[in-house]
Amino acid sequence: MDQPKHQDIVDLFVIGGGINGCGIARDAVGRGLSVELAEMNDLASGTSSASTKLFHGGLRYLEYGEVRLVREALIERETLLRAMPHISWPMRFVLPYHPDMRFEGDTPTSKLLGIVMPWMKGRRPAWLIRFGLFLYDNLGGRKILKGTTSLQLVGTPEGAPLQERFERAFEYSDCWIEDSRLVVLNARDAEARGARINVRTKVISVEQIDGHWHVTIEAQDSGARRVIVARMIVNAGGPWVESVIRNTVRINSTEGVRLVRGSHIVTRKLYDHDKCYFFQGEDGRIIFTIPYETDFTLIGTTDADHNDVTAKPVCTPEEQAYLLDFASKYLKQKVTADDVVWTYSGVRPLYNDGASSATAATRDYVLKVDQSAGAPILNVFGGKITTYRKLAESALEKIAPFFADAGKPWTAGVALPGGDFPVDGVGALKGRVASRYPFLSARWVSRLVKAYGTEVFDVLGDAETAGDLGQEFGAGLSEREVNWLVDKEFARSAEDIIWRRSKLGLRLTKQETDLLDVWLVNALAVRSEGGAGRSARGGE
């Protein structure tokens, strides 16, 4: 094997290509710091592509007294919505009410109510839900999103899918987010501003020498190694953050994570309207049912401790049965395993605060700088996808004392690639795309606009017919789009493209997926021979 090659010193070396790592890299490079990032797999290949796909304040966190976290998230919803109206959009949530709704037993609110109103026996009163929604409407200075309303369910589209025992509901606002695309767009913007992004590149070793970190990385495809000298490390390893501390950087620390598995199921489309449901269980837990990819419904999530970071998270039969049973207690039509078309699961690396249950563990982020090894490292624990940008700003506050010339916060309101159009401009943009490319179907236009925003014109280029887009892999995925994803968005496999850059895996057959993988192998080989292969960047 070749000897590792050295390069100039960088200010920050970021471990982890999830939303926290890519968000911090983007913010830091925009402040004038030199940044390099390494992700051992694909971007967003772990937790950041396995969320419930929501920018939300976390209504239930109010019961745990996490007012600061909820307020920050509520403010962020609209800040982020303005910066990425192609991959994020408002959604209305219907919260059906019935008198048997109960608290989870260990929330601070339930304990207080048990003392003040013992006759309620753990039930959630309607006035308390309405008060929580009042706070939800007003804590974040809402300007774009609609406020809460009361809703009669009898004889309405919202009530039609529900069992007749549900007669009234509350309706409030939150936002959808294409989670894995959010990560990729942050990485792309960081790279455009000067960061170096290495995918499928593993951190082999880390050593502190004369006040600097010497980080050895290895490219997955070629095995080539390179040493980066960095003034500071950002450990944004997500579920692996504790492993990086103990086994890679090898520092003594009492900080750790609680790994909590959240599983989801995707079913056939369960109802015709475009609103989501917020269901509360008799055990105090909640789930969402969300219209998904036009023809499906997303149901989630669970909260279960996940004890082994090396074990791939999967939706267990027990978790699937729990979600099916939960939804079926609300819906007229029972949801069964035959309705399930896909499942996915992710591990949330929550800060280990000693909570009694996975559900009760804090969702707030914790940032810790450690200099015990002689050079500084910032360890990132926890976090919600909604507050990723604020987490990055908070991380830069921790980093700033080590870099006197670092710039000021800048990311609020700055559009991500493709997001440079108004929040209410999606319809107009679809019209422009349809006019320029009349051979596209309405569904095709909608998918492309929601993925690429104004960059659709760059993706499709000068095409005048569908044939100009090259080979068609199925479900409207063209050769020209695949080339864009490889050249601009770090994609390397069919899985990257059909499950993270898009959700076309719900529509492509196994044969179509296999053909795409073969095409990618050949295309990447040609790029590598020509010196254009981005996959080789970790081993140049």
Side-chain angles (χ1 to χ4, degrees):
M1 181 179 293
D2 294 339
Q3 289 299 309
K5 297 178 181 178
H6 289 262
Q7 68 171 52
D8 294 336
I9 296 174
V10 299
D11 294 324
L12 292 183
F13 184 86
V14 180
I15 300 175
I19 189 55
N20 290 339
C22 291
I24 291 170
R26 178 190 182 228
D27 193 329
V29 74
R31 300 187 193 213
L33 301 182
S34 55
V35 178
E36 183 150 357
L37 177 148
E39 163 56 45
M40 63 180 175
N41 298 306
D42 181 31
L43 296 173
S45 56
T47 307
S48 295
S49 61
S51 76
T52 312
K53 326 294 183 192
L54 298 177
F55 275 157
H56 66 132
L59 179 60
R60 72 181 180 87
Y61 302 149
L62 289 174
E63 290 185 2
Y64 291 91
E66 303 231 32
V67 177
R68 187 210 64 78
L69 173 65
V70 174
R71 182 175 184 275
E72 181 175 270
L74 289 171
I75 293 170
E76 277 297 284
R77 288 183 312 180
E78 297 198 2
T79 300
L80 298 174
L81 191 59
R82 291 186 181 95
M84 55 196 78
H86 51 328
I87 62 169
S88 181
W89 51 87
M91 299 187 89
R92 294 291 279 174
F93 287 73
V94 177
L95 195 166
Y97 178 78
H98 64 89
D100 292 331
M101 286 179 173
R102 294 184 176 275
F103 289 104
E104 201 165 24
D106 56 358
T107 73
T109 302
S110 67
K111 291 176 180 176
L112 177 61
L113 214 65
I115 295 171
V116 177
M117 302 173 66
W119 60 89
M120 292 297 294
K121 297 181 179 178
R123 291 192 297 269
R124 271 191 183 101
W127 64 263
L128 185 65
I129 295 174
R130 189 65 187 88
F131 176 65
L133 288 166
F134 171 80
L135 293 177
Y136 207 69
D137 279 346
N138 293 286
L139 279 173
R142 176 179 47 83
K143 293 188 176 79
I144 298 173
L145 300 176
K146 296 178 182 178
T148 297
T149 59
S150 295
L151 183 66
Q152 293 300 316
L153 295 174
V154 178
T156 64
E158 295 86 353
L162 301 177
Q163 296 174 15
E164 292 178 358
R165 64 193 176 100
F166 300 104
E167 297 179 354
R168 63 175 174 142
F170 302 104
E171 184 177 300
Y172 68 97
S173 292
D174 265 321
C175 297
W176 176 263
I177 177 62
E178 297 286 354
D179 53 4
S180 50
R181 290 208 59 74
L182 175 65
V183 178
V184 171
L185 294 183
N186 271 272
R188 280 192 56 211
D189 200 49
E191 184 184 60
R193 297 174 188 275
R196 185 167 186 165
I197 308 295
N198 304 284
V199 297
R200 290 183 165 77
T201 302
K202 190 168 185 179
V203 175
I204 300 299
S205 65
V206 176
E207 291 183 275
Q208 187 280 134
I209 301 175
D210 297 330
H212 289 83
W213 295 108
H214 288 237
V215 184
T216 302
I217 60 174
E218 180 179 276
Q220 184 187 98
D221 58 347
S222 66
R225 292 188 174 187
R226 185 162 56 87
V227 176
I228 297 96
V229 181
R231 296 182 174 89
M232 188 172 188
I233 286 176
V234 174
N235 173 16
W240 296 87
V241 63
E242 190 172 334
S243 177
V244 171
I245 292 171
R246 309 261 190 273
N247 304 320
T248 306
V249 184
R250 300 185 303 281
I251 56 177
N252 292 320
S253 173
T254 59
E255 309 293 343
V257 289
R258 180 173 190 159
L259 302 179
V260 176
R261 186 175 65 252
S263 295
H264 302 76
I265 60 176
V266 175
T267 70
R268 62 174 179 81
K269 190 175 184 177
L270 298 180
Y271 47 85
D272 291 330
H273 62 75
D274 62 356
K275 295 178 181 178
C276 313
Y277 288 108
F278 178 120
F279 292 154
Q280 302 176 79
E282 295 170 0
D283 61 354
R285 289 274 300 124
I286 65 101
I287 64 166
F288 298 103
T289 68
I290 307 172
Y292 189 60
E293 294 292 318
T294 307
D295 300 315
F296 307 96
T297 300
L298 172 63
I299 303 175
T301 179
T302 59
D303 274 321
D305 284 315
H306 188 83
N307 297 319
D308 184 1
V309 70
T310 64
K312 180 178 174 61
V314 296
C315 179
T316 66
E318 293 77 16
E319 287 174 306
Q320 176 173 301
Y322 172 81
L323 293 171
L324 291 170
D325 181 61
F326 202 143
S328 295
K329 288 178 179 177
Y330 275 80
L331 299 170
K332 285 179 183 173
Q333 186 72 39
K334 185 176 181 180
V335 195
T336 70
D338 291 338
D339 296 314
V340 177
V341 298
W342 182 48
T343 69
Y344 68 90
S345 187
V347 176
R348 297 186 288 268
L350 306 181
Y351 182 69
N352 192 354
D353 60 355
S356 60
S357 70
T359 304
T362 182
R363 264 55 178 176
D364 211 346
Y365 54 81
V366 176
L367 308 173
K368 298 284 189 177
V369 173
D370 190 305
Q371 301 183 70
S372 62
I377 177 171
L378 174 68
N379 296 309
V380 180
F381 302 94
K384 285 162 46 69
I385 197 165
T386 312
T387 52
Y388 88 90
R389 193 195 66 83
K390 290 297 293 183
L391 182 151
E393 284 190 341
S394 298
L396 266 295
E397 287 181 13
K398 297 279 190 181
I399 290 167
F402 300 93
F403 302 99
D405 297 331
K408 297 184 180 301
W410 63 275
T411 56
V414 176
L416 286 171
D420 51 340
F421 64 96
V423 171
D424 60 358
V426 174
L429 180 56
K430 287 180 180 178
R432 286 173 53 204
V433 173
S435 177
R436 171 61 184 83
Y437 304 103
F439 57 88
L440 298 177
S441 68
R443 177 177 282 203
W444 200 350
V445 168
S446 181
R447 180 182 73 79
L448 291 174
V449 166
K450 286 186 173 182
Y452 305 108
T454 56
E455 290 192 321
V456 170
F457 303 102
D458 298 316
V459 175
L460 301 184
D462 60 358
E464 299 295 335
T465 68
D468 292 337
L469 299 178
Q471 183 171 340
E472 208 269 339
F473 295 100
L477 180 65
S478 69
E479 182 177 343
R480 190 167 293 193
E481 184 178 356
V482 170
N483 276 321
W484 172 273
L485 295 171
V486 171
D487 294 336
K488 302 290 187 181
E489 296 197 2
F490 310 93
R492 287 293 168 269
S493 71
E495 182 181 350
D496 298 350
I497 290 172
I498 68 172
W499 290 119
R500 285 184 285 276
R501 307 307 183 274
S502 73
K503 289 296 178 286
L504 292 174
L506 291 167
R507 305 186 187 279
L508 292 177
T509 66
K510 184 180 185 304
Q511 183 180 23
E512 289 170 331
T513 302
D514 290 343
L515 287 172
L516 175 59
D517 251 332
V518 170
W519 187 93
L520 284 165
V521 168
N522 294 331
L524 291 170
V526 170
R527 282 170 168 78
S528 181
E529 290 172 5
R534 182 177 268 172
S535 63
R537 297 189 68 166
E540 288 176 350

